Amino acid sequence: MHTPEAAPAIATHCPYCALQCGMNLRPEPGGVGVAVEERADFPVNRGALCGKGRTAPAVLSSRVRLTEPLVRTHAGTLEPATWEEALDAVAAGLARTGRAHGPDAVGVFGGGGLTNEKAYALGKFARVALRTSQIDYNGRFCMSSAAAAHQRAFGLDRGLPFPLEDIPRTGCVILVGSNLAETMPPALRYLTELKANGGTLIVIDPRRTRTADQADLHLAPRPGTDLALALGLLHLVVAEGRTDEEFIAERTTGWEEARAAAMAHWPELVERITGVPVPKLREAVALFCAPESAMVLTARGPEQQSKGTDTVGAWINLCLATGRAGRPLSGYGCLTGQGNGQGGREHGQKADQLPGYRKLTDPAARAHVAEVWGVDPDTLPGPGRSAYELLDALGTDVKALLLMGSNPVVSAPRAAHIEDRIRSLDFLAVADVVLSETAALADVVLPVTQWAEETGTTTNLEGRVLLRRQALTPPPGVRTDLEVLHGLAARLGVEKGFPTAPEEVFEELRRASAGGPADYSGISYSRIEAEQGVFWPCPPDSPGQPRLFLDRFATDDGRARFVPVSHREAAEVPDAEYPVLLTTGRVVAQYQSGAQTRRVDELNEAAPGPFVELHPRLAARIGAVDGSPLAVTSRRGRAVAPARITDTIRADTVFMPFHWPGEGRANTLTNPALDPVSRMPEFKVCAVRVEPV
């Protein structure tokens, strides 16, 4: 009896975080699903996958995902509709609003999980088909502060200016506000290998996380004081004569002003601000400065603050002052969170940018992109609102919204207010793979393909451009985002310029990015496959650049810029009414707003719901009992979740994960105070009151 051969495995990448771990997908008999297999040849994860990656195919099931368009009836319910009816309704709603109130009354909100092709097409659609300036994306909530600090100091923003493989080979890593063991588990091996090679690890986090347990030194500052901590370390570097004067003179500018600012933050003052004892500050400086090479890596902890850009800038100043930037195995890097958070902002989804990371206000950039698009550059709108400001304007200045790949009802700060803003819209259309909490409020819901059902590129946290390959035929009632934009553009009178083939879109993206800071013009699908990804910038005939700044920085004169910064308090500090600090974050079994992972049984068993983590001393003071419900109240609202009592958190701080809607929604509480440069909201610190229910 002949046994049919197994279908060949298809090399692709995980749909979740910015590691974009390599995996193989093997179609199951009958083409009804895929099995995940190890892909040991991909250098980032070398076969390792976390539980989210292993279970990712579960969301492909028709049991949990959208398979047909939905249109809200006069009775107020969402009912199945044909694609023609749904697209007609979306185009009519957007056009009607534009005619009545002007093009900027129509908004577009994207997501950091969209492929490069979809992010590029969405930005083009907003500016060419809708002629609106009102477009931004949830990646603004991810690493925008680090991006702004990168631009100020180095002249270029790429999350990591070196590949992950360099981390185990450096001498010391300071990891600031990152819990890799839960947010990016396959990346923890790089820290384990660092220590096995004799390197040291310093973790800075108000909680003693699973990652902090790996550290040689754990510093637990009060939330919102990371800026003072970095300045205190730089003060000690100067006072102890540990600066690299030759590097400062040859490769930087602005040192005198930055040094003066740091010297105002003496160790005892920093101890009072942060709660970190002076001996630990001195120990951190000694560990960081002892080896020949060292790195600082930041994540959302220091970045999601109303002073996040300055905070990251202070850590960059520490690297520059010690010669730990622009040299092999040294530098500052940001651990991007979302799957395509890097590529998503490079190609036009962000309010102030055009493809290739070009500035929307630059006449030459506008002319170049307009020529590729076949439009008059004068017709391109200017910069619009940042993500929170756009959401906050819904229902007032912005009366209709097209939303792709985001769930702000759960993920936005001051979420109850944003939910009210969304409900007040004249018209809302959502394209998503599941009926998220935001999609459930829409007038039209468009079911779109997922990672395993489409081909497209993403750019991981290293700046490595990768290719996901289609492994499955999507269900009959599902279309790609590119097909959605093509259909809407045609209905809005733009018949050409929105192809549906991903590779055709990528070829146009290459031309639009050519000569820009994020130059993809030398990258092709075939080259990505042959080389396991290609690092940008990559103009034609370039090998790509896995390591940036070794010869010069991306500024006009090739020198890095010190930026003088000083500590300031968080936008909201504890007082008699709200005496405790709240910080938020992720757990290993859930991802972002949980729209996908909360539909996977295995992940829900591991992390079934929200909780409030608090120290035993705080629990005793308020009468909290482990497992019993706690109410956490801020100036913006109230959330309730079970208490989780542990001595791994500061006694003045509580922690909540942000993956769940409903009464345990952490972002009901968070503060939308914005960083003045990056427009990043202050997710990571606000004042709350905690009491048993």
Side-chain angles (χ1 to χ4, degrees):
M1 179 177 178
H2 175 70
T3 302
E5 294 184 7
I10 296 165
T12 189
H13 296 272
C14 178
Y16 291 115
C17 81
L19 284 179
Q20 288 296 281
C21 290
M23 60 169 61
N24 289 324
L25 295 182
R26 190 175 298 278
E28 294 177 341
V32 295
V34 289
V36 171
E37 296 179 350
E38 182 178 293
R39 183 181 168 191
D41 65 321
F42 185 63
V44 171
N45 62 308
R46 289 175 263 166
L49 292 168
C50 73
K52 295 185 292 291
R54 287 188 296 98
T55 61
V59 188
L60 298 167
S61 168
S62 297
R63 181 176 64 85
V64 299
R65 56 95 59 86
L66 293 165
T67 57
E68 57 187 347
L70 304 173
V71 174
R72 195 167 298 280
T73 67
H74 292 298
T77 58
L78 284 171
E79 300 295 341
T82 68
W83 267 99
E84 297 307 305
E85 291 169 339
L87 291 174
D88 286 348
V90 175
L94 300 179
R96 181 172 61 247
T97 302
R99 286 193 304 269
H101 304 285
D104 277 357
V106 180
V108 176
F109 198 85
L114 300 181
T115 63
N116 290 319
E117 292 80 359
K118 293 190 283 189
Y120 170 84
L122 187 62
K124 181 181 179 181
F125 177 81
R127 296 179 174 109
V128 173
L130 297 175
R131 300 289 176 89
T132 182
S133 67
Q134 300 302 302
I135 175 172
D136 211 88
Y137 83 128
N138 63 14
R140 177 81 68 167
F141 300 157
C142 176
M143 60 169 289
S144 57
S145 292
H150 260 125
Q151 294 278 14
R152 290 200 311 196
F154 304 139
L156 183 69
D157 158 41
R158 198 180 82 187
L160 290 180
F162 41 77
L164 286 162
E165 67 185 45
D166 285 0
I167 292 175
R169 300 161 55 211
T170 193
C172 177
V173 169
I174 299 180
L175 185 66
V176 190
S178 172
N179 182 12
L180 283 180
E182 300 216 31
T183 59
M184 297 179 175
L188 191 64
R189 68 166 56 188
Y190 292 103
L191 302 181
T192 303
E193 291 171 7
L194 166 76
K195 295 189 65 178
N197 291 340
T200 55
L201 173 64
I202 301 169
V203 171
I204 298 172
D205 197 307
R207 304 164 63 220
R208 193 177 74 245
T209 63
R210 288 172 52 204
T211 307
D213 281 339
Q214 307 295 314
D216 298 281
L217 176 65
H218 172 219
L219 308 182
R222 183 167 63 94
T225 64
D226 309 85
L227 175 52
L229 181 61
L231 288 164
L233 296 182
L234 182 53
H235 177 111
L236 286 170
V237 164
V238 175
E240 295 176 4
R242 297 178 184 270
T243 56
D244 188 329
E245 296 296 329
E246 181 180 354
F247 178 88
I248 291 170
E250 292 181 357
R251 300 201 58 191
T252 73
T253 63
W255 169 231
E256 293 302 323
E257 295 83 357
R259 179 174 61 184
M263 296 312 287
H265 298 77
W266 59 94
E268 291 75 16
L269 172 64
V270 171
E271 178 178 327
R272 288 201 299 273
I273 293 171
T274 65
V276 177
V278 171
K280 285 200 169 188
L281 298 176
R282 295 188 184 279
E283 184 181 358
V285 167
L287 290 173
F288 185 65
C289 294
E292 292 185 5
S293 60
M295 297 174 179
V296 173
L297 305 176
T298 69
R300 306 301 80 75
E303 297 163 21
Q304 287 181 328
Q305 299 185 29
S306 59
K307 53 184 182 294
T309 303
D310 284 356
T311 301
V312 172
W315 290 107
I316 292 175
N317 287 349
L318 179 67
C319 289
L320 294 175
T322 53
R324 305 310 176 89
R327 286 177 170 168
L329 305 181
S330 289
Y332 163 78
C334 166
L335 298 168
T336 309
Q338 293 192 79
N340 198 30
Q342 180 73 52
R345 70 179 178 282
E346 292 169 3
H347 299 300
Q349 213 183 170
K350 195 161 167 274
D352 55 354
Q353 286 175 195
L354 287 170
Y357 223 137
R358 288 182 160 92
K359 293 181 179 178
L360 191 51
T361 54
D362 179 359
R366 293 169 66 87
H368 173 87
V369 174
E371 183 179 4
V372 174
W373 287 352
V375 300
D376 184 336
D378 290 339
T379 65
L380 296 178
R385 293 175 172 89
S386 71
Y388 180 79
E389 291 165 306
L390 173 56
L391 294 172
D392 190 40
L394 299 181
T396 54
D397 294 340
V398 179
K399 299 180 181 299
L401 183 69
L402 172 65
L403 187 146
M404 282 188 160
S406 185
N407 188 19
V409 164
V410 178
S411 64
R414 198 185 174 196
H417 169 72
I418 295 305
E419 181 177 346
D420 288 343
R421 293 291 85 224
I422 290 172
R423 289 179 182 275
S424 72
L425 282 164
D426 292 348
F427 182 79
L428 172 64
V430 174
D432 209 332
V433 300
V434 297
L435 190 67
S436 70
E437 287 72 23
T438 305
L441 304 179
D443 296 285
V444 180
V445 182
L446 303 173
V448 291
T449 51
Q450 299 185 52
W451 58 289
E453 300 165 345
E454 60 187 12
T455 294
T457 62
T458 62
T459 305
N460 82 342
L461 76 173
E462 307 166 295
R464 189 193 301 253
V465 184
L466 305 167
L467 183 64
R468 292 183 190 160
R469 281 290 191 189
Q470 181 179 352
L472 275 179
T473 301
V478 172
R479 295 187 182 181
T480 70
D481 293 276
L482 296 179
E483 289 171 333
V484 168
L485 294 175
H486 173 87
L488 292 177
R491 285 166 171 78
L492 293 169
V494 183
E495 299 287 343
K496 297 181 179 179
F498 290 92
T500 60
E503 192 164 8
E504 186 177 349
V505 177
F506 189 79
E507 290 302 307
E508 184 180 310
L509 182 158
R510 292 174 64 189
R511 298 196 305 274
S513 73
D519 189 336
Y520 281 32
S521 59
I523 304 175
S524 65
Y525 277 22
S526 59
R527 184 175 172 188
I528 294 170
E529 286 193 299
E531 300 179 24
Q532 297 278 37
V534 181
F535 291 86
W536 72 263
C538 186
D541 303 319
S542 168
Q545 297 187 45
R547 296 171 181 85
L548 301 175
F549 313 139
L550 295 182
D551 299 318
R552 69 189 310 274
F553 294 96
T555 55
D556 291 341
D557 60 6
R559 291 172 172 262
R561 308 277 192 258
F562 279 100
V563 178
V565 295
S566 296
H567 171 71
R568 58 185 186 274
E569 285 283 7
E572 192 173 83
V573 296
D575 58 18
E577 188 175 3
Y578 301 99
V580 176
L581 290 166
L582 167 71
T583 193
T584 64
R586 285 168 49 188
V587 296
V588 67
Q590 301 288 353
Y591 181 71
Q592 304 301 70
S593 76
Q596 293 163 282
T597 51
R598 284 187 278 110
R599 287 166 168 80
V600 179
D601 293 341
E602 180 179 329
L603 300 179
N604 284 331
E605 289 173 9
F611 57 87
V612 182
E613 188 177 281
L614 72 165
H615 192 276
R617 288 204 299 273
L618 176 58
R621 188 163 73 243
I622 66 173
V625 176
D626 195 64
S628 295
L630 280 183
V632 184
T633 307
S634 76
R635 290 177 173 85
R636 290 152 295 280
R638 180 176 185 264
V640 177
R644 184 174 293 183
I645 299 173
T646 173
D647 64 0
T648 60
I649 190 170
R650 290 177 56 97
D652 58 2
T653 301
V654 295
F655 167 84
M656 290 187 72
F658 53 65
H659 309 291
W660 288 274
E663 70 170 3
R665 180 174 60 185
N667 278 320
T668 297
L669 309 167
T670 49
N671 192 350
L674 301 180
D675 181 288
V677 180
S678 69
R679 317 308 288 170
M680 167 76 87
E682 192 152 58
F683 286 99
K684 279 294 179 279
V685 53
C686 69
V688 297
R689 180 174 65 251
V690 186
E691 52 204 350
V693 176

